[in-house]
Amino acid sequence: MPTALLDLVLPPRCAGCDAPGAPLCPSCTAGLHGEPARRMPDPSPPGLPECWSATPYTTAARRAIVAYKERGRTALARPLAGALALAVAAAAGERPVVLVPVPGARSALRRRGHDPVGALAELAAVCLHAAGWPTRVDRSLVHRRRVADQAGLSSPERAENLARAFGVARGGKGAVPGSWGGSGVVVLVDDIVTTGATLAEAARALREAGWEVPLAATIAATRRRGRILDNHGE
């Protein structure tokens, strides 16, 4: 039985700590939302925007993201999107924002049956609107070719795997609406950041199409041996 259906017919358990009562308990939600900060991979790939995340990629954050992304627990979308919105707000300050989700590979979207990052970007925009931020989502960023699964690849291998993988759909302009006074900022969004290769390649594609891409925001940033690395599987 699909996990999303099980969530409807069985008492929910927290994806972060397995406590009964909710898809994500108050303690795990607080941990997920509690530490928005600038977190850059070290070393950072050339062209990587300034990266902000809501939390380090600790146990509860990892379990919640994996359950949502890979196991179909779509009820986790709202708390995860809330965390993403906090990271965007910390990065952008009071400026209006254009959220550009990093697209999933077609094979991954078929396997999962949903677009996890795209859905999070839409919900994060709702959260930001509710808080008074002029926000829109632009899905102009697209895959131009197939890429291998990023899991298990080294940092150089990830960069090679993703080289020239993204492009901008015809008609995508990256312009903030004039009614915002030209003070908006483009923010790339993804679920987690590891080496930064995915976000750097996405930023490269947008810049070649004439966009300015100063910022990126994710739910979590991976830490290993004192360095922030990326666990992104695409």
Side-chain angles (χ1 to χ4, degrees):
M1 185 178 292
T3 305
L5 183 56
L6 287 173
D7 282 343
L8 292 176
V9 300
L10 296 177
R13 304 189 72 89
C14 174
C17 67
D18 206 36
L24 201 66
C25 73
S27 177
C28 288
T29 299
L32 195 66
H33 293 180
E35 301 180 58
R38 180 182 181 275
R39 295 182 174 92
M40 297 291 289
D42 182 15
S44 293
L48 181 68
E50 185 176 300
C51 293
W52 289 70
S53 59
T55 186
Y57 194 58
T58 55
T59 301
R62 177 180 58 79
R63 288 177 176 172
I65 291 170
V66 170
Y68 166 69
K69 188 175 177 181
E70 305 293 350
R71 298 174 188 163
R73 293 197 60 180
T74 54
L76 293 165
R78 290 196 178 277
L80 291 173
L84 181 60
L86 288 171
V88 172
E94 298 182 356
R95 292 173 288 180
V97 292
V98 178
L99 303 183
V100 181
V102 173
R106 293 186 184 93
S107 59
L109 297 180
R110 286 194 299 268
R111 184 181 74 249
R112 293 166 181 152
H114 68 127
D115 178 5
V117 175
L120 291 178
E122 298 285 354
L123 286 171
V126 171
C127 293
L128 290 163
H129 268 301
W133 259 275
T135 308
R136 68 180 175 96
V137 178
D138 191 305
R139 291 176 178 258
S140 294
L141 189 66
V142 296
H143 274 276
R144 290 300 193 201
R145 62 172 180 80
R146 287 187 175 186
V147 296
D149 193 324
Q150 293 277 86
L153 298 182
S154 67
S155 182
E157 288 170 339
R158 287 175 182 233
E160 182 178 358
N161 181 45
L162 288 165
R164 314 297 300 185
F166 293 127
V168 174
R170 185 171 297 176
K173 300 183 185 305
V176 177
S179 61
W180 292 357
S183 59
V185 61
V186 172
V187 183
L188 268 173
V189 296
D190 207 349
D191 53 354
I192 54 177
V193 60
T194 308
T195 63
T198 300
L199 291 169
E201 162 57 18
R204 189 277 315 159
L206 292 170
R207 288 173 182 140
E208 286 192 359
W211 299 49
E212 292 184 10
V213 192
L215 297 171
T218 65
I219 298 165
T222 303
R223 295 181 188 270
R224 290 180 186 171
R225 296 186 297 276
R227 289 184 175 183
I228 297 175
L229 299 174
D230 186 10
N231 215 25
H232 199 287
E234 297 174 356

